[in-house]
Amino acid sequence: MAKTALLPTVTAVRMVWSMTGKFSDDEASQKMSLYVEDALKSIEEQAQAPGTGTDEKSYITAATATMKSSLRSLDTAYKGRTLNFEENEKLRAAYLDSVKESLNFGAKAQDFLKSLPSMTIGAAGGVTVAQQLGLSGVALWGSGLLLAALGHLVNLVFVRRARGKTQMLYVTQDYERGLYYEQYLSRTTLILLGLFLDLERIHKRVFQENYEPDVRPSAVRPIIDDILAGVHSTFCPYVHKHMANKTVTPELWTLCESGNAEGVRMCPHWEGPRERDGGAKKRGTAPEITG
């Protein structure tokens, strides 16, 4: 029996995925989207050209309408991801402000301790703290030096804590953005899967048979995964557990995020096989560290 000659199902789904480039700010993605849109218009024109069968015309009309509807759903999913990114950015900016306040407090504490001997006591008629304590000469110099050193140490503690918090802030933000991105891809997968099945239903209604030989969701899902191959994040399989356990550090984050097969096996928190052959000669795993 006849099948569409202009718009195979997989081609239609790939075209819709390519047209999501119009949502991006990337110039190359936008150009690719325009190219695919022009190709789809050309297919629509061919379907209406003299000599084209009525079944083909009917199918292309219904199929392109379904494709545009799915593209609208993909646009909504993309905007949802963008909103999540923006909200995450605001949340982390607020947290960064609190870190800056901690730094300011440390600097003020240092200044306070340094100036403590020369501070006047109002109730004592303008007498300084050093005078009230009877400090002068070497003792005054020594106490001033001691307080200056103490102030420096206090400020150093705040600076180091702030640096660590700032580094982990960016790690956490990167991780959360990765989660939002994967959520977006999950939604995209469902939309494209639904589009594939819708196109097959239209094809069967018009041509009395499916275009693809097997349209079970379990058979279609690998096709969608193939279309989206290469766009998923590459997190280490244990990153979610280790982020929850607080074992991830800024120094290890590159391994966690990239999930490099060789690199992650060198991670002290790696829980999988250490050997390339799948662990036939396991060296053991690092003990789980909780924080």
Side-chain angles (χ1 to χ4, degrees):
M1 298 180 71
K3 292 185 178 182
T4 178
L6 297 177
L7 194 58
T9 306
V10 176
T11 300
V13 174
R14 286 186 180 277
M15 292 178 77
V16 170
W17 171 239
S18 296
M19 285 189 286
T20 60
K22 68 192 300 180
F23 311 143
S24 172
D25 294 329
D26 181 66
E27 185 177 350
S29 296
Q30 292 178 350
K31 287 183 178 180
M32 176 57 68
S33 176
L34 290 174
Y35 172 79
V36 175
E37 286 182 355
D38 290 341
L40 184 58
K41 290 178 182 178
S42 177
I43 291 174
E44 291 180 276
E45 291 172 357
Q46 291 180 58
Q48 300 303 320
T52 303
T54 56
D55 286 349
E56 188 75 86
K57 291 180 180 179
S58 298
Y59 173 73
I60 295 300
T61 299
T64 53
T66 302
M67 291 168 66
K68 292 172 183 177
S69 176
S70 294
L71 187 62
R72 180 72 182 92
S73 297
L74 289 169
D75 180 32
T76 301
Y78 186 88
K79 288 177 179 177
R81 188 200 76 171
T82 302
L83 180 61
N84 287 333
F85 280 4
E86 291 174 352
E87 291 175 342
N88 182 259
E89 190 72 30
K90 291 177 182 178
L91 180 64
R92 294 305 162 187
Y95 184 82
L96 190 58
D97 287 340
S98 70
V99 174
K100 291 178 180 178
E101 290 176 1
S102 177
L103 279 173
N104 291 334
F105 180 82
K108 290 178 180 178
Q110 180 180 13
D111 294 339
F112 172 78
L113 290 173
K114 287 172 60 178
S115 62
L116 184 60
S118 61
M119 291 179 63
T120 58
I121 302 175
V127 177
T128 65
V129 173
Q131 291 172 336
Q132 184 70 17
L133 296 176
L135 298 176
S136 62
V138 176
L140 178 60
W141 178 82
S143 63
L145 184 62
L146 178 63
L147 288 171
L150 180 60
H152 176 72
L153 290 176
V154 169
N155 187 49
L156 185 62
V157 170
F158 278 93
V159 169
R160 286 184 175 178
R161 287 184 61 188
R163 183 184 299 118
K165 287 184 177 180
T166 301
Q167 289 175 329
M168 278 307 301
L169 166 69
Y170 291 121
V171 168
T172 304
Q173 184 178 32
D174 207 14
Y175 171 70
E176 291 173 348
R177 287 173 69 90
L179 293 182
Y180 284 132
Y181 178 70
E182 281 299 319
Q183 180 189 52
Y184 162 70
L185 289 181
S186 295
R187 292 174 176 173
T188 297
T189 298
L190 291 177
I191 293 170
L192 295 182
L193 177 61
L195 172 61
F196 191 105
L197 297 176
D198 285 343
L199 291 173
E200 285 293 336
R201 280 190 287 266
I202 294 170
H203 192 281
K204 186 172 184 178
R205 186 179 70 243
V206 174
F207 294 100
Q208 286 73 56
E209 69 171 340
N210 294 115
Y211 186 89
E212 295 292 334
D214 190 348
V215 294
R216 292 174 303 164
S218 59
V220 175
R221 181 58 188 266
I223 298 175
I224 304 302
D225 290 340
D226 179 65
I227 292 174
L228 298 177
V231 299
H232 286 274
S233 61
T234 55
F235 281 144
C236 164
Y238 304 106
V239 68
H240 307 299
K241 177 181 178 181
H242 293 166
M243 283 294 293
N245 289 344
K246 301 185 184 303
T247 57
V248 174
T249 65
E251 292 76 18
L252 293 174
W253 178 241
T254 300
L255 295 178
C256 302
E257 184 180 25
S258 67
N260 179 271
E262 295 298 323
V264 293
R265 287 177 172 78
M266 300 298 105
C267 174
H269 308 306
W270 173 252
E271 299 180 33
R274 294 282 182 177
E275 299 291 340
R276 286 188 180 182
D277 60 8
K281 299 178 181 179
K282 286 187 179 179
R283 301 175 192 168
T285 58
E288 180 180 332
I289 302 176
T290 57

